[in-house]
Amino acid sequence: MTTDARTEPTGPATVGAGRRWSMLGASTLAQASAAVMMHGPAFLIPALCEQRGLSLAEAGAVAAAPMVGVMLTLVAWGLLSDRRGERLALVAGLALTAAAGGLSLLADGDLLLAAALLLGGAAAASTNAASGRVVVGWFPPQRRGLAMGIRQMAQPVGVGVAAVTIAAVADAHGVRAALLVPTLAALVALVVVALVVLDPPRPPAAEAREARNPYRADGFLARVHGVSVLLVVPQFVVWTFSLVWLVEERGWSPAAAGALVAGAQVAAALGRIGAGQLSDLVRSRMRPLRWVAVAASATMALLGLAAGLGSALAVPLLVVATVLTVADNGLAFTAVAERAGPFWSGRALGVQNTAQFLTAALVPPLGGLLVTHAGYAASFAIVAALPLLAVGLVPVAAERDLE
C-alpha cells in the first residue's frame, strides 16, 4: 500500500528547529490576519454611523456579520483540515478571505457589505483549527504549551492592529479604504503560509479509517469544552465593560481608559505564553487550567468587592483579571488537539471555538442587562461564580501523560 507524503508516519524531527519556529510564526500571522477580518469591522461602527447614516444598531449588525460567518463554518474547516490537510485549509481560507475583502470594497449597499463581511468571517475561520493543528503537529509535547501560547497571542495582536488602523483610516479616507486593511492582511498571510507551512506528520492514511471518535471514548473533550465556555464569560465581561466602567464609574477620560485597556491586552497576550510554558514545565495542561480557573474566580470576586467599595485596588485588579481570564485559552486548545488526535483534532477544535464564540456573542447583551440592574461591582462578583464552577469540571484525573 502506498500513501501520500502528508500521511507518512514521520515526527517533528523531520524538519529543523528553525523551520518549526518559522511555521509557528506563519501560523500566528495567519490567525492574526484572520482576527483583523473577524473583529476589525467593529472599529468601523463610528464611520458607518457618520458617513453612511446608519443607526448604532444597524452599524453593529454590519460589524457583527464576520462573527456570524465564523460560527457557521468553524467545524467545516476543521473537517477539511482533518481530511485534506492543514496547509490546504489555510491557503484556501486565506485566499477566500482576501477575495471576500475585495468584494467588500466593491459593495455599494449596506446589505451587500454585510454579506461580504459574513463571507470574510466564514473564510477566516479556516485559521482557527488549521493553524492550531500546525503548531500541535510540528512541536513535541514538551514545547507545545509554549508554542501554542505564542500562537494564541494572535487574537489580541490582530485586534490591536485593527484598532490602530481601521478606525483611523475610515475617519480619514472612508469605510472603503479601511476595508483594505483586512484584505491586505489576508494577502500577506497567504503568501507567507504558502511559502513556509508544511502539513504536520501523521500516521499512515489507512489508520484514518480506523480512528475512533474521541467523543465516544470518554467525556474528556466535552468537559474541556464546558470549562472553556464557563471561562469565556468573565473574559468577555472584562473585555466588554472595562472601558465603560473606568469612564462612568471611575471618572477616567476615554483616552486614558483606552490606554489602560490596550496595555492590559498586551499583558494578557504575554500571560498566554506564560501559561503555556508552565504547562510544559509541569507536564500537564489540566492542572494549570484548574489553577487559572481558581485564580480567575478569586480575582473577579475581589474586583467586584473593590469596585463596590470604591477602592483604588479595583483598577490593578481589573488588569489582573484581564490577564487571568484569557490564560486558559491556549491550555484548553492544546489539550483538545492532543486528545483528539491527528484525524479528529480539526473538528474538535472547531467545536471548541464554536462553543466559545456562541457564548461570547451572548455576553454583551446579557451582561449589559446585568450591569443595568445590578451595577458593575455586583456583576463582576456574580460572574466570579462561573470559573468557580469550572474548577470542578476540569478533567485533571482523566488527563494522559504528555508523551
Side-chain angles (χ1 to χ4, degrees):
M1 180 182 66
T2 61
T3 61
D4 59 63
R6 186 177 65 81
T7 58
E8 288 295 330
T10 55
T14 57
V15 299
R19 186 61 182 270
R20 285 201 301 272
W21 286 98
S22 67
M23 285 193 281
L24 170 60
S27 298
T28 304
L29 176 63
Q31 185 64 62
S33 72
V36 176
M37 173 59 79
M38 295 175 191
H39 305 289
F43 301 102
L44 287 174
I45 290 176
L48 289 171
C49 294
E50 295 174 9
Q51 299 174 18
R52 298 200 176 186
L54 299 186
S55 68
L56 185 60
E58 291 169 339
V62 172
M67 300 303 297
V68 175
V70 170
M71 288 186 286
L72 291 176
T73 59
L74 277 167
V75 176
W77 281 114
L79 178 60
L80 179 65
S81 298
D82 290 336
R83 297 287 175 83
R84 299 298 299 276
E86 291 75 12
R87 188 177 189 277
L88 174 64
L90 284 172
V91 170
L94 289 168
L96 291 172
T97 302
L103 288 176
S104 72
L105 295 173
L106 301 174
D108 290 328
D110 300 321
L111 286 178
L112 290 177
L113 175 58
L117 293 176
L118 186 146
L119 292 174
S126 62
T127 64
N128 283 62
S131 66
R133 237 310 283 179
V134 168
V135 174
V136 171
W138 278 118
F139 279 80
Q142 65 270 22
R143 291 289 182 270
R144 281 185 195 143
L146 172 62
M148 189 63 80
I150 294 173
R151 182 262 184 193
Q152 290 295 94
M153 287 180 63
Q155 184 186 35
V157 168
V159 173
V161 169
V164 169
T165 58
I166 288 180
V169 174
D171 181 59
H173 303 288
V175 170
R176 185 164 295 175
L179 291 169
L180 280 170
V181 175
T183 305
L184 293 176
L187 285 173
V188 171
L190 171 62
V191 172
V192 174
V193 166
L195 292 174
V196 173
V197 171
L198 301 173
D199 280 325
R202 298 187 184 192
E207 294 186 20
R209 295 188 291 270
E210 302 173 2
R212 294 180 60 192
N213 183 338
Y215 289 96
R216 295 179 180 176
D218 53 44
F220 182 89
L221 291 177
R223 289 179 65 177
V224 174
H225 296 334
V227 169
S228 296
V229 165
L230 290 170
L231 292 178
V232 86
V233 175
Q235 173 187 335
F236 273 81
V237 165
V238 171
W239 279 18
T240 303
F241 299 106
S242 57
L243 190 144
V244 68
W245 171 71
L246 288 169
V247 173
E248 292 185 355
E249 297 285 316
R250 308 293 296 191
W252 287 42
S253 70
L260 179 74
V261 171
Q265 288 295 325
V266 173
L270 296 175
R272 291 183 175 189
I273 297 178
Q277 176 70 2
L278 177 62
S279 75
D280 288 339
L281 292 174
V282 302
R283 309 195 65 75
S284 170
R285 315 295 181 211
M286 294 298 99
R287 281 188 286 136
L289 184 60
R290 178 179 282 178
W291 299 337
V292 168
V294 171
S297 178
T299 303
M300 291 301 296
L302 289 172
L303 173 59
L305 177 62
L309 296 174
S311 170
L313 292 175
V315 173
L317 283 169
L318 177 70
V319 175
V320 175
T322 302
V323 174
L324 289 175
T325 56
V326 302
D328 65 289
N329 287 356
L331 299 172
F333 209 75
T334 307
V336 167
E338 289 175 331
R339 189 58 165 254
F343 300 112
W344 275 88
S345 58
R347 280 163 285 184
L349 291 173
V351 172
Q352 169 84 1
N353 280 146
T354 301
Q356 288 182 303
F357 274 113
L358 285 171
T359 305
L362 295 174
V363 169
L366 295 181
L369 287 175
L370 182 60
V371 169
T372 299
H373 294 287
Y376 289 102
S379 297
F380 293 148
I382 290 170
V383 167
L386 297 179
L388 188 60
L389 291 175
V391 172
L393 191 59
V394 178
V396 174
E399 186 176 21
R400 297 171 184 167
D401 187 89
L402 292 188
E403 295 293 343

